Amino acid sequence: MPLFVKGPATANAVSVCSEVLKADPQNVNVLKDRAEACLQDDQYEEAIKDFESAKEHSENDRQIKEGLERTQRLLKQSQKRDYYKILGVKRTAQKKDILKAYRKLVQQWHPDNFQDAEEKKKAEKLFIDIAQAKEVLTNPEMRSKFDEGEDPMDPESQQGGGHHHHFHGGWDNFQGFNPFGSGPFNFKFSFN
């Protein structure tokens, strides 16, 4: 599978593939390449269309089937929460970059920084999302699951087997984890 970098190079790859497809609309390899380029640019619907079109012309191609399934999972995931976007890091971010972004955001969105009830409630939700994002993206197993389209913090997306991490409780009853090492805000993680 070709690797594309997000941004102008991705747009260029989509453009080049589109030009080739004008002359040869059934070119399975170019359809797969354009689908992958679209995927790198988070254009999931377009990628699905290209994979489906490629599948019509090459029904038994394993790459097409896997690409289509992966893209459908990523589309579904994009409609939920994206831990990379929550922390403002790229999918290729190293652990140190994730932790740096996490520390910056928890300082910014710590609920104690807000006096207004509405703002405090928004900060509490964001604070929890930030903690979950850090938990998933700094754990190699959980990050791998997330990158494959499964949200390891969402019991509904769990596909059975193994031990899974679940995030339980409301703001007032978290216990066991404090991003600052002091204060009243704690988180509880249970393992099945």
Side-chain angles (χ1 to χ4, degrees), residues 65-81:
K65 182 180 182 220
E66 290 173 358
L68 183 57
E69 289 171 356
R70 178 171 35 95
T71 305
Q72 289 168 334
R73 281 193 312 270
L74 290 170
L75 173 62
K76 185 176 178 182
Q77 183 182 56
S78 75
Q79 295 164 343
K80 293 185 179 184
R81 63 184 151 202

